[in-house]
Amino acid sequence: MTIRTASNPVATCCASCHADVVDAACRICARKGMASVLCLGRTPLANDFRPWGAAPSARYPLHVMHCESCGLTQLADSVAPERLFSEYAYFSSASAPVIEHGLELSRFALRELDPPTAGFVVDIGSNDGYLLRGYARERFRVLGIDPATNIAAEARSAGVPTLDAYFSEAVAGRVVAEHGRADLIHANNVLAHVPDVLDFLRGCRTLLSAGGHLVIEVPYVADLVTKCLFDTIYHEHVYYFSMTSLCRLLDAAGLRALHVERNGFHGGSLRVVAGRGFAHARPSVARLLAAEHAVGVCDSGYYRDFADQVHRFLNRTRTELGELAALGNRISGFGAPAKATIMMSSAELPLEYICDSTPYKQDKLLPGTGIPIVAPDRLETDPTEYCVIFAWNYAESIIAANHGYLRRGGTFVKPVDCKLEYVRRA
């Protein structure tokens, strides 16, 4: 892919980033000539946290495309999963909102899907076992599957049996041979990460019992576009699903969507319940499919203005915070999720440090920058005039936990809906 200097806020981007149609083949249907949605240039891997003095993070093209043939929005290029996930910097249990969401998700599954007492529950992309701990307490047999060796070891140390492997149809066969079929499978914010998504879903069908349920949660592409959530685009997220594209993939794998509901997690997500193809679907599936058809979510025109909106926001953000810094104001950040890497790679904001509660990330640098990640108490001992909340999906809990910063005259800055909101002491 040819690289050139760009005139937009991204420092470097691919030569085709301003083209309406790019000669790349869809990963699912192999159609060429997908529509360009957004190019963010060459960016570092979002979780490539490195210590001081380490070699700079490698950068890879980050270009989102849309296939009108199958309706699937996807990255033009992908990075080998082994490079992304073999050792992982995200620990679910470090986030109170993630724990609460996991509890709500398990309550939903137990209430709505009624898995058999002492049944077998599998979580694919199980991270540190946060979701399965509740099922284990209810005396279900549980198994986590996660490719990150450090994360899987953490889960096992917490008493959650975990297989460190990339899930596939072949791995599903091994699990069935050793443990039997699953009555309930969770795939929570993992499906977008899987390059061979059809093999993954076929594996789910292999593993699933005849009357069992697969519960998938994925960020929703309609919310990505309407809320301008461009900082949720990064190399780990190969796919950006609509209900229409997800139903087509489930059908191709011998599964069927039975129920869907939307929630606000990660800025807007779909929770989809699926089963084997003969199961009966609830009206919620047809309603959302009809709503997507009405607004043209699977048509490239739906994405036409997205890139311009993103680049206008990046220009405004750089200008606003740059002017504040020029006036002598110090600026920090709060939260070092993937969103922070993408925002900083795209806008290059003048930050002194970023606070994050995850010990694994502390005393390292935000990928692609020289900005140190520090413990949250730095905002108390060395407060800046402004603090950008990169983990905006947890903004309320961050502000509540750091109200003293506001009392001392600090200002939080929230990037929301492609604008900056300034939160000061009431």
Side-chain angles (χ1 to χ4, degrees), residues 156-179:
R156 286 191 292 268
S157 70
V160 178
T162 303
L163 172 65
D164 46 341
Y166 291 92
F167 184 74
S168 64
E169 192 169 9
V171 170
R174 284 169 43 202
V175 174
V176 170
E178 295 176 14
H179 303 276

Side-chain angles (χ1 to χ4, degrees), residues 381-394:
T381 61
D382 183 27
T384 56
E385 282 78 14
Y386 292 85
C387 181
V388 181
I389 299 179
F390 293 108
W392 45 256
N393 45 324
Y394 304 140

